[in-house]
């Protein structure tokens, strides 16, 4: 049974940094898509970063580009989302999820659509405020 668990959320001041972890079990991190998504109150869930574990190639949303880095430790079955220069608009519950790679229109293999992801963690709250 696949299980994902996020950790590392918290409250930080604007400009601060956090590293979120996504610990996985019940799957091997070979040739799968992993993603970090977020959902703010009254807003739809949106993608933050996705990665194809086979190559390590990552993509990040324009709203966070240059401020996040996603990496995976396949030996430990953990994915990380390092975030810096955090802004109040980054406040949300952050989730990690996995899906099967499928060729996308831009040539990548990992969807940015949350509905394409089948396994989800419970989420971790990130709050950015003074």
């Amino acid at each position: 049974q696949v299980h994902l668990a996020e950790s590392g959320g918290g409250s930080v001041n604007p400009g601060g940094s956090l590293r979120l972890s996504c610990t996985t079990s019940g799957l091997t991190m070979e040739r799968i898509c992993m993603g970090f998504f977020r959902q703010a109150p009254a807003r739809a869930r949106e993608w933050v970063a996705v990665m194809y574990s086979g190559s390590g190639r990552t993509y990040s949303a324009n709203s966070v580009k240059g401020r996040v880095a996603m990496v995976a430790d396949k030996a430990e079955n953990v994915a990380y989302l390092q975030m810096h220069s955090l802004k109040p608009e980054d406040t949300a519950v952050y989730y990690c999820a996995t899906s099967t790679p499928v060729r996308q229109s831009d040539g990548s293999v990992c969807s940015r659509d949350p509905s394409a992801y089948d396994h989800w963690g419970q989420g971790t709250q990130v709050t950015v405020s003074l």
Side-chain angles (χ1 to χ4, degrees), residues 81-114:
L81 183 72
Q82 179 70 52
M83 304 188 293
H84 60 88
S85 302
L86 284 163
K87 305 175 181 180
E89 52 263 44
D90 294 319
T91 296
V93 178
Y94 284 69
Y95 301 88
C96 64
T98 63
S99 75
T100 301
V102 175
R103 183 68 62 183
Q104 305 297 305
S105 59
D106 65 354
S108 64
V109 297
C110 293
S111 175
R112 283 66 153 172
D113 183 351

Side-chain angles (χ1 to χ4, degrees), residues 46-124:
E46 63 179 7
W47 76 289
V48 177
V50 298
M51 164 191 283
Y52 174 55
S53 65
S55 64
R57 180 76 183 268
T58 63
Y59 300 84
S60 56
N62 287 336
S63 59
V64 299
K65 198 175 293 291
R67 300 189 295 117
V68 304
M70 183 175 177
V71 296
D73 183 337
K74 291 191 277 189
E76 296 295 326
N77 285 338
V78 180
Y80 299 98
L81 183 72
Q82 179 70 52
M83 304 188 293
H84 60 88
S85 302
L86 284 163
K87 305 175 181 180
E89 52 263 44
D90 294 319
T91 296
V93 178
Y94 284 69
Y95 301 88
C96 64
T98 63
S99 75
T100 301
V102 175
R103 183 68 62 183
Q104 305 297 305
S105 59
D106 65 354
S108 64
V109 297
C110 293
S111 175
R112 283 66 153 172
D113 183 351
S115 68
Y117 286 73
D118 359 72
H119 301 288
W120 291 83
Q122 82 288 347
T124 186

